[in-house]
Structures are given as C-alpha cells and as structure tokens.
Coordinates of all heavy atoms in Angstrom, one line a residue:
G1 N 14.6 19.6 -29.3 CA 13.3 18.9 -29.3 C 12.6 19.3 -28.0 O 13.1 19.9 -27.1
A2 N 11.3 18.9 -28.1 CA 10.4 19.2 -26.9 C 10.8 18.2 -25.8 O 11.1 17.1 -26.0 CB 9.0 19.0 -27.4
S3 N 10.7 18.7 -24.6 CA 10.9 17.8 -23.4 C 9.7 17.0 -23.2 O 8.5 17.4 -23.4 CB 11.2 18.7 -22.2 OG 10.2 19.5 -21.9
N4 N 9.9 15.8 -22.7 CA 8.9 14.8 -22.4 C 8.6 14.9 -20.9 O 9.2 14.3 -20.1 CB 9.3 13.4 -22.8 CG 8.2 12.4 -22.6 OD1 7.2 12.7 -22.0 ND2 8.5 11.2 -23.0
N5 N 7.6 15.7 -20.6 CA 7.2 16.0 -19.2 C 6.3 15.0 -18.6 O 5.9 15.0 -17.4 CB 6.6 17.4 -19.0 CG 7.7 18.4 -19.3 OD1 8.8 18.3 -19.1 ND2 7.2 19.5 -19.9
G6 N 5.8 14.0 -19.4 CA 4.8 13.1 -18.9 C 5.3 11.8 -18.4 O 4.6 11.0 -17.9
C7 N 6.6 11.5 -18.5 CA 7.2 10.2 -18.2 C 7.3 10.0 -16.7 O 7.1 8.9 -16.2 CB 8.5 10.0 -18.8 SG 8.4 9.8 -20.6
N8 N 7.6 11.0 -15.9 CA 7.9 10.8 -14.5 C 6.9 11.4 -13.6 O 7.2 11.9 -12.5 CB 9.3 11.3 -14.2 CG 10.4 10.6 -14.9 OD1 10.3 9.3 -15.0 ND2 11.4 11.2 -15.5
T9 N 5.6 11.5 -14.1 CA 4.6 12.2 -13.3 C 3.9 11.1 -12.5 O 3.8 9.9 -12.8 CB 3.6 12.9 -14.1 OG1 3.0 12.0 -15.0 CG2 4.3 14.1 -14.9
C10 N 3.3 11.5 -11.4 CA 2.5 10.6 -10.5 C 1.2 11.3 -10.3 O 1.0 12.2 -9.6 CB 3.2 10.4 -9.2 SG 2.3 9.3 -8.1
D11 N 0.2 10.8 -11.0 CA -1.1 11.3 -11.0 C -1.9 10.8 -9.8 O -2.2 9.6 -9.8 CB -1.9 11.1 -12.3 CG -3.2 11.7 -12.4 OD1 -3.6 12.5 -11.4 OD2 -3.9 11.6 -13.4
T12 N -2.2 11.6 -8.8 CA -3.0 11.2 -7.7 C -4.3 12.0 -7.6 O -4.9 12.1 -6.6 CB -2.2 11.4 -6.4 OG1 -1.8 12.8 -6.2 CG2 -1.0 10.6 -6.3
T13 N -4.7 12.6 -8.8 CA -5.9 13.3 -8.9 C -7.1 12.5 -8.4 O -7.9 12.9 -7.5 CB -6.2 13.8 -10.3 OG1 -5.0 14.5 -10.7 CG2 -7.4 14.7 -10.3
V14 N -7.2 11.3 -8.9 CA -8.3 10.4 -8.5 C -7.6 9.0 -8.2 O -7.0 8.5 -9.1 CB -9.3 10.2 -9.6 CG1 -10.4 9.1 -9.3 CG2 -10.0 11.5 -10.0
V15 N -7.7 8.6 -7.0 CA -7.2 7.3 -6.6 C -8.3 6.4 -6.1 O -9.0 6.8 -5.2 CB -6.1 7.5 -5.5 CG1 -5.5 6.1 -5.0 CG2 -4.9 8.3 -6.1
T16 N -8.4 5.3 -6.7 CA -9.5 4.3 -6.2 C -8.8 3.0 -5.8 O -7.7 2.7 -6.3 CB -10.5 4.1 -7.3 OG1 -9.9 3.4 -8.4 CG2 -11.2 5.3 -7.8
Y17 N -9.5 2.3 -4.9 CA -9.0 1.0 -4.5 C -8.9 0.1 -5.6 O -7.8 -0.5 -5.8 CB -10.0 0.4 -3.4 CG -9.6 -0.9 -3.0 CD1 -8.5 -1.1 -2.2 CD2 -10.2 -2.1 -3.5 CE1 -8.0 -2.4 -1.8 CE2 -9.8 -3.4 -3.1 CZ -8.7 -3.5 -2.2 OH -8.3 -4.8 -1.9
N18 N -9.9 -0.1 -6.4 CA -9.8 -1.1 -7.5 C -8.8 -0.8 -8.6 O -8.1 -1.7 -9.1 CB -11.2 -1.4 -8.1 CG -12.1 -2.2 -7.1 OD1 -11.7 -3.3 -6.7 ND2 -13.2 -1.6 -6.8
A19 N -8.7 0.4 -9.0 CA -7.8 0.8 -10.1 C -6.4 1.0 -9.7 O -5.5 0.8 -10.5 CB -8.4 2.0 -10.8
H20 N -6.2 1.5 -8.5 CA -4.8 1.9 -8.1 C -4.3 1.1 -6.9 O -3.1 0.7 -6.9 CB -4.8 3.4 -7.8 CG -5.3 4.2 -8.9 ND1 -6.6 4.6 -9.0 CD2 -4.7 4.7 -10.0 CE1 -6.8 5.3 -10.1 NE2 -5.7 5.4 -10.7
I21 N -5.0 1.0 -5.8 CA -4.5 0.5 -4.6 C -4.4 -1.0 -4.6 O -3.4 -1.6 -4.2 CB -5.4 1.0 -3.4 CG1 -5.5 2.5 -3.3 CG2 -4.9 0.4 -2.1 CD1 -4.1 3.2 -3.3
K22 N -5.5 -1.7 -5.0 CA -5.5 -3.1 -5.1 C -4.3 -3.7 -5.9 O -3.6 -4.6 -5.5 CB -6.8 -3.7 -5.6 CG -7.0 -5.1 -5.6 CD -8.4 -5.5 -6.1 CE -8.6 -7.0 -6.0 NZ -10.0 -7.4 -6.4
P23 N -4.0 -3.1 -7.1 CA -2.8 -3.6 -7.9 C -1.5 -3.4 -7.1 O -0.6 -4.2 -7.3 CB -2.9 -2.7 -9.1 CG -4.3 -2.3 -9.3 CD -4.8 -2.1 -7.9
I24 N -1.4 -2.3 -6.3 CA -0.2 -2.1 -5.5 C 0.0 -3.3 -4.6 O 1.0 -3.9 -4.4 CB -0.1 -0.8 -4.8 CG1 -0.1 0.4 -5.8 CG2 1.0 -0.7 -3.8 CD1 -0.3 1.7 -5.2
F25 N -1.1 -3.6 -3.8 CA -1.1 -4.7 -2.9 C -0.8 -6.0 -3.6 O 0.0 -6.8 -3.1 CB -2.4 -4.8 -2.1 CG -2.5 -3.8 -1.0 CD1 -3.5 -2.9 -1.0 CD2 -1.6 -3.7 0.1 CE1 -3.7 -1.9 0.1 CE2 -1.7 -2.8 1.1 CZ -2.7 -1.9 1.1
Q26 N -1.4 -6.2 -4.7 CA -1.2 -7.5 -5.5 C 0.2 -7.6 -6.0 O 0.8 -8.7 -5.9 CB -2.2 -7.5 -6.7 CG -3.6 -7.8 -6.3 CD -4.6 -7.7 -7.5 OE1 -4.3 -7.0 -8.4 NE2 -5.7 -8.5 -7.4
N27 N 0.8 -6.6 -6.5 CA 2.1 -6.7 -7.0 C 3.2 -6.6 -6.0 O 4.3 -7.1 -6.3 CB 2.3 -5.6 -8.1 CG 1.4 -5.8 -9.3 OD1 1.1 -6.9 -9.7 ND2 0.9 -4.7 -9.8
K28 N 3.0 -5.9 -4.9 CA 4.1 -5.7 -4.0 C 3.9 -6.4 -2.6 O 4.9 -6.4 -1.9 CB 4.2 -4.2 -3.7 CG 4.3 -3.3 -5.0 CD 5.7 -3.4 -5.6 CE 5.9 -2.7 -6.9 NZ 5.6 -1.4 -7.0
C29 N 2.7 -6.9 -2.3 CA 2.5 -7.3 -0.9 C 2.0 -8.7 -0.7 O 2.3 -9.4 0.3 CB 1.5 -6.4 -0.2 SG 2.0 -4.6 -0.3
T30 N 1.1 -9.1 -1.6 CA 0.4 -10.4 -1.4 C 1.2 -11.7 -1.6 O 0.8 -12.7 -1.3 CB -0.9 -10.5 -2.3 OG1 -0.5 -10.4 -3.6 CG2 -1.9 -9.4 -1.9
G31 N 2.4 -11.5 -2.1 CA 3.3 -12.7 -2.2 C 3.6 -13.2 -0.8 O 3.8 -14.4 -0.6
C32 N 3.7 -12.3 0.2 CA 3.9 -12.7 1.6 C 2.6 -12.6 2.4 O 2.4 -13.3 3.4 CB 5.0 -11.9 2.2 SG 6.6 -12.2 1.6
H33 N 1.8 -11.6 2.1 CA 0.6 -11.3 2.9 C -0.7 -11.6 2.0 O -1.5 -10.7 1.8 CB 0.5 -9.8 3.3 CG 1.7 -9.4 4.1 ND1 1.8 -9.9 5.4 CD2 2.7 -8.6 3.9 CE1 2.9 -9.4 6.0 NE2 3.5 -8.6 5.0
G34 N -0.8 -12.8 1.5 CA -1.9 -13.2 0.7 C -2.7 -14.3 1.4 O -2.4 -14.8 2.5
G35 N -3.9 -14.6 0.8 CA -4.8 -15.6 1.4 C -4.2 -16.9 1.7 O -4.4 -17.6 2.7
N36 N -3.3 -17.4 0.8 CA -2.7 -18.7 1.0 C -1.3 -18.6 1.7 O -0.8 -19.7 2.1 CB -2.5 -19.5 -0.3 CG -3.8 -19.8 -0.9 OD1 -4.8 -20.1 -0.3 ND2 -3.9 -19.7 -2.3
N37 N -0.8 -17.4 1.9 CA 0.5 -17.3 2.5 C 0.6 -16.0 3.3 O 1.4 -15.1 3.0 CB 1.6 -17.2 1.4 CG 3.0 -17.3 1.9 OD1 3.2 -17.7 3.0 ND2 3.9 -16.8 1.2
P38 N -0.2 -15.9 4.4 CA -0.1 -14.7 5.2 C 1.1 -14.7 6.2 O 1.0 -15.0 7.4 CB -1.5 -14.7 6.0 CG -1.8 -16.2 6.1 CD -1.2 -16.8 4.8
N39 N 2.2 -14.6 5.6 CA 3.5 -14.8 6.3 C 3.9 -13.5 7.1 O 4.8 -12.8 6.8 CB 4.6 -15.1 5.3 CG 5.9 -15.4 5.9 OD1 6.0 -15.8 7.0 ND2 7.0 -15.2 5.1
D40 N 3.2 -13.3 8.2 CA 3.6 -12.2 9.1 C 3.6 -12.5 10.5 O 3.9 -11.6 11.4 CB 2.7 -11.0 8.8 CG 1.2 -11.3 9.2 OD1 1.0 -12.4 9.7 OD2 0.4 -10.5 9.0
G41 N 3.4 -13.7 10.9 CA 3.6 -14.1 12.3 C 2.4 -13.8 13.2 O 2.5 -13.9 14.4
L42 N 1.3 -13.2 12.6 CA 0.2 -12.9 13.4 C -0.7 -14.1 13.7 O -0.7 -15.0 12.9 CB -0.7 -11.8 12.7 CG 0.0 -10.4 12.6 CD1 -0.9 -9.5 11.8 CD2 0.3 -9.8 13.9
P43 N -1.4 -14.1 14.8 CA -2.2 -15.3 15.1 C -3.5 -15.2 14.2 O -3.7 -14.3 13.5 CB -2.7 -15.1 16.5 CG -2.5 -13.6 16.8 CD -1.3 -13.2 15.9
A44 N -4.2 -16.3 14.2 CA -5.5 -16.4 13.4 C -5.3 -16.2 11.9 O -6.1 -15.5 11.3 CB -6.5 -15.4 14.0
G45 N -4.2 -16.7 11.4 CA -4.1 -16.7 9.9 C -3.3 -15.6 9.3 O -3.0 -15.5 8.2
G46 N -2.9 -14.6 10.1 CA -2.1 -13.5 9.6 C -2.8 -12.4 8.9 O -4.0 -12.3 9.0
L47 N -2.0 -11.7 8.1 CA -2.5 -10.5 7.4 C -2.8 -10.8 6.0 O -1.8 -10.9 5.2 CB -1.4 -9.4 7.6 CG -1.8 -8.0 7.2 CD1 -2.9 -7.4 8.0 CD2 -0.5 -7.1 7.3
D48 N -4.0 -10.8 5.6 CA -4.4 -11.2 4.2 C -4.7 -9.9 3.4 O -5.8 -9.3 3.6 CB -5.6 -12.1 4.2 CG -6.1 -12.5 2.8 OD1 -5.4 -12.1 1.9 OD2 -7.0 -13.3 2.8
L49 N -3.8 -9.4 2.7 CA -3.9 -8.2 1.9 C -4.6 -8.4 0.6 O -4.6 -7.5 -0.2 CB -2.6 -7.4 1.8 CG -2.0 -7.0 3.1 CD1 -0.6 -6.3 2.8 CD2 -2.9 -6.1 3.9
T50 N -5.2 -9.5 0.4 CA -6.1 -9.7 -0.8 C -7.5 -9.2 -0.5 O -8.3 -9.2 -1.4 CB -6.1 -11.2 -1.2 OG1 -6.7 -12.0 -0.2 CG2 -4.7 -11.7 -1.5
Q51 N -7.8 -8.9 0.7 CA -9.1 -8.5 1.1 C -9.2 -7.0 1.4 O -8.3 -6.5 2.2 CB -9.5 -9.2 2.4 CG -9.5 -10.7 2.3 CD -10.5 -11.2 1.3 OE1 -11.7 -10.7 1.2 NE2 -10.1 -12.2 0.4
W52 N -10.1 -6.3 0.8 CA -10.3 -4.8 1.0 C -10.4 -4.5 2.5 O -9.8 -3.6 3.0 CB -11.5 -4.3 0.3 CG -11.8 -2.9 0.8 CD1 -11.2 -1.7 0.4 CD2 -12.7 -2.5 1.8 NE1 -11.7 -0.6 1.1 CE2 -12.6 -1.1 1.9 CE3 -13.6 -3.2 2.6 CZ2 -13.4 -0.4 2.9 CZ3 -14.4 -2.5 3.5 CH2 -14.3 -1.1 3.6
S53 N -11.2 -5.3 3.3 CA -11.4 -5.1 4.7 C -10.1 -5.0 5.5 O -10.0 -4.2 6.4 CB -12.4 -6.1 5.3 OG -11.9 -7.4 5.1
T54 N -9.2 -5.9 5.2 CA -7.9 -5.9 5.8 C -7.1 -4.6 5.4 O -6.5 -4.0 6.3 CB -7.1 -7.1 5.5 OG1 -7.9 -8.3 5.9 CG2 -5.8 -7.2 6.3
C55 N -7.1 -4.3 4.1 CA -6.3 -3.2 3.7 C -6.9 -1.9 4.3 O -6.1 -1.0 4.7 CB -6.4 -3.1 2.1 SG -5.7 -4.5 1.3
N56 N -8.2 -1.8 4.4 CA -8.9 -0.6 5.0 C -8.5 -0.5 6.4 O -8.1 0.6 6.9 CB -10.4 -0.8 4.8 CG -11.1 0.2 5.6 OD1 -11.5 0.0 6.7 ND2 -11.4 1.3 5.0
S57 N -8.5 -1.6 7.1 CA -8.2 -1.6 8.6 C -6.8 -1.2 8.8 O -6.6 -0.3 9.7 CB -8.4 -3.0 9.1 OG -8.0 -3.1 10.5
I58 N -5.8 -1.7 8.1 CA -4.4 -1.3 8.4 C -4.2 0.2 7.9 O -3.4 0.9 8.5 CB -3.4 -2.2 7.7 CG1 -3.4 -2.2 6.2 CG2 -3.5 -3.6 8.3 CD1 -2.3 -2.8 5.6
A59 N -4.9 0.6 6.9 CA -4.8 2.0 6.5 C -5.3 3.0 7.6 O -4.7 3.9 8.0 CB -5.5 2.3 5.2
L60 N -6.5 2.6 8.2 CA -7.1 3.5 9.1 C -6.5 3.5 10.5 O -6.6 4.4 11.3 CB -8.6 3.2 9.2 CG -9.4 3.4 7.9 CD1 -10.9 3.1 8.1 CD2 -9.2 4.9 7.4
T61 N -5.7 2.4 10.8 CA -5.0 2.4 12.1 C -3.6 2.9 12.0 O -2.8 2.8 13.0 CB -4.9 0.9 12.6 OG1 -4.2 0.1 11.7 CG2 -6.3 0.3 12.9
N62 N -3.2 3.4 10.9 CA -1.8 4.0 10.6 C -0.7 2.9 10.5 O 0.4 3.3 10.2 CB -1.4 5.0 11.7 CG -2.3 6.2 11.6 OD1 -2.7 6.7 10.5 ND2 -2.7 6.8 12.8
A63 N -1.1 1.6 10.6 CA -0.1 0.6 10.4 C 0.5 0.6 9.0 O 1.7 0.4 8.7 CB -0.6 -0.8 10.7
L64 N -0.4 0.9 8.0 CA 0.1 0.9 6.6 C 1.1 2.0 6.4 O 2.2 1.8 5.9 CB -1.1 1.1 5.6 CG -0.7 1.3 4.2 CD1 -0.1 0.0 3.6 CD2 -2.0 1.7 3.4
E65 N 0.8 3.2 6.8 CA 1.7 4.4 6.7 C 3.0 4.1 7.4 O 4.1 4.3 6.9 CB 1.1 5.6 7.2 CG 1.9 6.8 7.0 CD 1.3 8.2 7.3 OE1 0.1 8.2 7.8 OE2 1.9 9.2 7.0
G66 N 2.9 3.6 8.7 CA 4.1 3.4 9.5 C 5.0 2.4 8.8 O 6.2 2.5 8.8
S67 N 4.4 1.3 8.2 CA 5.2 0.3 7.6 C 5.9 0.7 6.3 O 7.1 0.5 6.1 CB 4.4 -1.0 7.4 OG 4.0 -1.6 8.6
I68 N 5.1 1.3 5.4 CA 5.7 1.7 4.1 C 6.6 2.9 4.2 O 7.5 3.0 3.3 CB 4.6 1.9 3.0 CG1 3.7 3.1 3.4 CG2 3.8 0.6 2.8 CD1 2.7 3.4 2.3
K69 N 6.5 3.7 5.2 CA 7.4 4.8 5.4 C 8.5 4.5 6.4 O 9.4 5.4 6.7 CB 6.6 6.1 5.9 CG 5.7 6.6 4.8 CD 5.1 7.9 5.3 CE 4.2 8.6 4.3 NZ 3.6 9.8 4.8
H70 N 8.6 3.3 6.9 CA 9.6 2.8 7.8 C 9.7 3.7 9.1 O 10.7 4.2 9.4 CB 11.0 2.7 7.2 CG 11.0 1.8 6.0 ND1 12.1 1.5 5.4 CD2 10.0 1.2 5.3 CE1 11.9 0.6 4.4 NE2 10.6 0.5 4.3
L71 N 8.5 3.9 9.7 CA 8.4 4.8 10.9 C 8.4 4.1 12.2 O 7.7 3.1 12.3 CB 7.1 5.6 10.8 CG 6.9 6.5 9.5 CD1 5.6 7.2 9.6 CD2 8.0 7.5 9.4
G72 N 9.1 4.5 13.1 CA 9.0 4.1 14.5 C 9.1 2.6 14.7 O 10.0 1.9 14.2
S73 N 8.1 2.1 15.4 CA 8.1 0.7 15.8 C 7.4 -0.3 14.8 O 7.2 -1.4 15.1 CB 7.4 0.5 17.2 OG 6.1 0.9 17.1
Y74 N 7.0 0.3 13.7 CA 6.3 -0.5 12.7 C 7.3 -1.4 12.0 O 8.5 -1.0 11.8 CB 5.6 0.4 11.7 CG 4.4 1.1 12.3 CD1 4.5 2.4 12.7 CD2 3.2 0.5 12.5 CE1 3.5 3.1 13.2 CE2 2.1 1.2 13.0 CZ 2.3 2.5 13.4 OH 1.2 3.2 14.0
S75 N 6.9 -2.5 11.4 CA 7.7 -3.4 10.6 C 7.9 -2.7 9.3 O 7.0 -2.4 8.6 CB 7.1 -4.8 10.4 OG 7.0 -5.4 11.7
D76 N 9.2 -2.6 8.8 CA 9.4 -2.0 7.5 C 8.9 -2.8 6.4 O 9.2 -4.0 6.4 CB 11.0 -1.7 7.4 CG 11.5 -0.7 8.3 OD1 10.8 0.0 9.0 OD2 12.8 -0.6 8.3
M77 N 8.1 -2.3 5.6 CA 7.6 -3.0 4.4 C 7.8 -2.2 3.1 O 7.6 -1.0 3.1 CB 6.1 -3.3 4.6 CG 5.7 -4.2 5.7 SD 6.3 -5.9 5.2 CE 6.8 -6.5 6.8
P78 N 8.2 -2.9 2.1 CA 8.6 -4.2 2.1 C 9.9 -4.4 2.8 O 10.7 -3.5 2.9 CB 8.8 -4.6 0.6 CG 8.9 -3.3 -0.1 CD 8.3 -2.2 0.8
P79 N 10.2 -5.6 3.3 CA 11.4 -5.9 4.2 C 12.6 -6.2 3.4 O 13.3 -7.2 3.6 CB 10.9 -7.1 5.0 CG 10.0 -7.8 4.1 CD 9.3 -6.8 3.3
Y80 N 13.0 -5.3 2.5 CA 14.2 -5.5 1.7 C 15.4 -5.3 2.6 O 15.5 -4.4 3.3 CB 14.3 -4.6 0.5 CG 13.2 -4.7 -0.5 CD1 12.5 -3.6 -1.0 CD2 12.7 -6.0 -0.9 CE1 11.5 -3.8 -1.9 CE2 11.7 -6.1 -1.8 CZ 11.1 -5.0 -2.3 OH 10.1 -5.2 -3.3
P81 N 16.4 -6.2 2.4 CA 17.6 -6.1 3.3 C 18.4 -4.8 3.1 O 19.0 -4.3 4.0 CB 18.5 -7.2 2.8 CG 17.6 -8.2 2.1 CD 16.4 -7.4 1.6
D82 N 18.2 -4.2 1.9 CA 18.9 -2.9 1.6 C 18.1 -1.7 2.1 O 18.6 -0.6 2.0 CB 19.2 -2.7 0.1 CG 18.0 -2.6 -0.7 OD1 16.8 -2.7 -0.2 OD2 18.1 -2.5 -1.9
G83 N 17.0 -1.9 2.8 CA 16.2 -0.8 3.3 C 15.4 0.0 2.3 O 14.9 1.1 2.7
S84 N 15.3 -0.5 1.1 CA 14.6 0.3 0.1 C 13.1 0.3 0.4 O 12.5 -0.5 1.1 CB 14.9 -0.1 -1.3 OG 14.8 -1.5 -1.4
Y85 N 12.4 1.3 -0.2 CA 11.0 1.6 0.0 C 10.2 1.2 -1.2 O 10.8 1.0 -2.3 CB 10.8 3.1 0.3 CG 11.4 3.6 1.5 CD1 12.7 3.8 1.7 CD2 10.6 3.9 2.6 CE1 13.3 4.4 2.8 CE2 11.1 4.5 3.8 CZ 12.5 4.7 3.9 OH 13.0 5.2 5.0
L86 N 8.9 1.2 -1.1 CA 8.0 1.2 -2.3 C 8.3 2.4 -3.1 O 8.8 3.4 -2.6 CB 6.5 1.2 -1.9 CG 5.9 0.0 -1.2 CD1 4.5 0.4 -0.7 CD2 5.9 -1.2 -2.1
P87 N 8.0 2.3 -4.4 CA 8.2 3.5 -5.3 C 7.4 4.7 -4.7 O 6.3 4.5 -4.1 CB 7.6 3.1 -6.6 CG 7.8 1.6 -6.6 CD 7.6 1.1 -5.2
A88 N 8.0 5.9 -4.8 CA 7.4 7.1 -4.2 C 5.9 7.3 -4.7 O 5.1 7.7 -3.9 CB 8.2 8.3 -4.5
C89 N 5.7 7.0 -6.0 CA 4.3 7.2 -6.5 C 3.3 6.2 -5.8 O 2.2 6.6 -5.5 CB 4.3 7.0 -8.0 SG 2.7 7.5 -8.8
D90 N 3.7 5.0 -5.6 CA 2.9 4.1 -4.9 C 2.5 4.6 -3.4 O 1.4 4.5 -3.0 CB 3.5 2.7 -4.7 CG 3.6 1.9 -6.1 OD1 2.9 2.4 -7.0 OD2 4.2 0.9 -6.1
I91 N 3.6 5.1 -2.8 CA 3.3 5.7 -1.4 C 2.4 6.8 -1.5 O 1.4 6.9 -0.7 CB 4.7 6.1 -0.8 CG1 5.5 4.8 -0.5 CG2 4.4 6.8 0.5 CD1 6.9 5.1 0.0
L92 N 2.5 7.7 -2.5 CA 1.6 8.9 -2.6 C 0.2 8.4 -2.8 O -0.8 9.0 -2.2 CB 2.1 9.8 -3.7 CG 3.3 10.6 -3.5 CD1 3.8 11.3 -4.8 CD2 3.1 11.6 -2.4
K93 N 0.0 7.4 -3.7 CA -1.3 6.9 -3.9 C -1.9 6.3 -2.7 O -3.1 6.5 -2.4 CB -1.3 5.9 -5.1 CG -1.1 6.5 -6.4 CD -0.9 5.5 -7.5 CE -0.6 6.2 -8.9 NZ -0.4 5.2 -9.9
L94 N -1.2 5.5 -2.0 CA -1.7 4.8 -0.8 C -2.0 5.9 0.3 O -3.1 5.7 1.0 CB -0.6 3.9 -0.2 CG -0.4 2.6 -1.0 CD1 0.9 1.9 -0.7 CD2 -1.6 1.6 -0.8
M95 N -1.3 6.9 0.4 CA -1.6 8.0 1.4 C -2.8 8.8 1.0 O -3.6 9.2 1.9 CB -0.4 8.9 1.6 CG 0.8 8.2 2.3 SD 0.5 7.4 3.9 CE 0.0 5.8 3.5
K96 N -3.0 9.0 -0.3 CA -4.2 9.7 -0.7 C -5.4 8.9 -0.4 O -6.4 9.4 0.1 CB -4.1 10.0 -2.2 CG -5.4 10.5 -2.8 CD -5.4 11.7 -3.6 CE -6.8 12.0 -4.1 NZ -6.9 13.3 -4.6
W97 N -5.3 7.6 -0.7 CA -6.5 6.7 -0.4 C -6.8 6.6 1.0 O -7.9 6.7 1.5 CB -6.1 5.3 -1.0 CG -7.1 4.2 -0.7 CD1 -8.3 4.1 -1.3 CD2 -6.9 3.1 0.1 NE1 -8.9 2.9 -0.9 CE2 -8.0 2.3 0.0 CE3 -5.8 2.6 0.9 CZ2 -8.2 1.1 0.7 CZ3 -6.0 1.5 1.6 CH2 -7.1 0.7 1.5
K98 N -5.7 6.6 1.9 CA -5.9 6.6 3.3 C -6.6 7.9 3.8 O -7.5 7.9 4.5 CB -4.5 6.5 4.0 CG -4.6 6.6 5.5 CD -3.3 6.8 6.1 CE -3.5 6.9 7.6 NZ -2.7 8.0 8.2
R99 N -6.1 9.1 3.3 CA -6.7 10.4 3.7 C -8.2 10.4 3.3 O -8.9 11.1 3.9 CB -5.9 11.5 3.0 CG -4.6 11.8 3.7 CD -4.0 13.2 3.2 NE -3.9 13.2 1.7 CZ -2.9 12.8 1.0 NH1 -1.9 12.1 1.6 NH2 -2.9 12.9 -0.3
E100 N -8.6 9.7 2.3 CA -10.0 9.7 1.8 C -10.8 8.7 2.5 O -12.0 8.5 2.2 CB -10.0 9.5 0.3 CG -9.4 10.7 -0.5 CD -9.3 10.5 -2.0 OE1 -9.6 9.3 -2.4 OE2 -9.1 11.5 -2.7
G101 N -10.2 8.1 3.6 CA -11.0 7.1 4.4 C -10.8 5.6 3.9 O -11.5 4.8 4.3
A102 N -9.9 5.4 3.0 CA -9.6 4.1 2.5 C -10.9 3.4 2.0 O -11.2 2.2 2.3 CB -8.9 3.2 3.5
P103 N -11.6 4.0 1.1 CA -12.9 3.4 0.6 C -12.7 2.2 -0.3 O -11.7 2.1 -1.0 CB -13.5 4.6 -0.2 CG -12.4 5.4 -0.7 CD -11.3 5.3 0.4
N104 N -13.8 1.5 -0.4 CA -13.8 0.3 -1.3 C -14.5 0.8 -2.6 O -15.7 0.6 -2.9 CB -14.6 -0.8 -0.7 CG -14.6 -2.1 -1.5 OD1 -13.9 -2.2 -2.5 ND2 -15.3 -3.1 -1.1
N105 N -13.7 1.5 -3.4 CA -14.2 2.1 -4.7 C -13.4 1.7 -5.9 O -12.4 1.0 -5.8 CB -14.2 3.6 -4.6 CG -12.9 4.2 -4.2 OD1 -11.9 3.5 -4.1 ND2 -12.8 5.5 -4.1

C-alpha cells in the first residue's frame, strides 16, 4: 500500500499568533500562567500568557526560547519532573513566530 506521509509532518509554512501560537499557550501554559493563576513567583501578578503582549515580550527577550528548550539559567517549561519538553512541532512553530517578530496576527 501507499505510505501515509502526512501524519507526522509539522507545517510551519505560515504560523500566526491566533491560529497556532495562542492555542499552544492556552493548552500548555495558561493553567499555571493565566490571568487568574499566574503561578510563577514574579511580582505584580506574575506572567499572564493569556495576553499577546506578554507572549510577545517573552518571545523577544529570549525567555520563551530559553525556557521551552531548557537552556542555561532559564526555568524549564513545562516543568515536568521527568524533564520532558513541549512537542517538537510546537517548539518549531513558536520559534518561527519569534523569528518573525512575534506579531499579533
């Protein structure tokens, strides 16, 4: 039979905040870093990843990349005890969005 080459692909041709990035934050991050529960120990209410402005800011300061790739002195995110990462496709989409200036599109 024919091989199914479409199952494990990660399309990063066009990545937008509303269609791709916001759902990643909603599904993987806002349980701890949301408007009602910014559980990160930061002053002034913490890190609210339900807001594009916050997502943009952490992307442009490299904190997003450092955290999701578990680099250096950044806090590993998500903080799973087994050290696992976000799915590779999610990381690729987040990095493409960052390289494009983390726009609100």
Side-chain angles (χ1 to χ4, degrees):
S3 60
N4 184 352
N5 295 327
C7 289
N8 295 319
T9 61
C10 181
D11 185 2
T12 59
T13 307
V14 176
V15 175
T16 65
Y17 175 74
N18 286 306
H20 305 96
I21 303 306
K22 187 175 182 179
I24 293 171
F25 283 121
Q26 287 174 332
N27 294 325
K28 308 285 174 56
C29 308
T30 60
C32 293
H33 299 292
N36 294 326
N37 188 24
N39 185 21
D40 62 4
L42 294 176
L47 190 61
D48 182 1
L49 296 179
T50 65
Q51 303 297 315
W52 168 81
S53 58
T54 306
C55 298
N56 171 271
S57 175
I58 65 165
L60 297 181
T61 63
N62 295 322
L64 175 65
E65 181 172 8
S67 292
I68 65 173
K69 290 183 175 180
H70 301 191
L71 302 176
S73 62
Y74 294 99
S75 296
D76 293 350
M77 291 293 144
Y80 297 136
D82 64 359
S84 48
Y85 295 75
L86 287 174
C89 188
D90 288 350
I91 293 173
L92 289 171
K93 289 176 183 178
L94 288 161
M95 293 301 92
K96 167 129 179 165
W97 177 69
K98 175 194 178 223
R99 283 191 308 275
E100 293 176 349
N104 186 5
N105 55 0

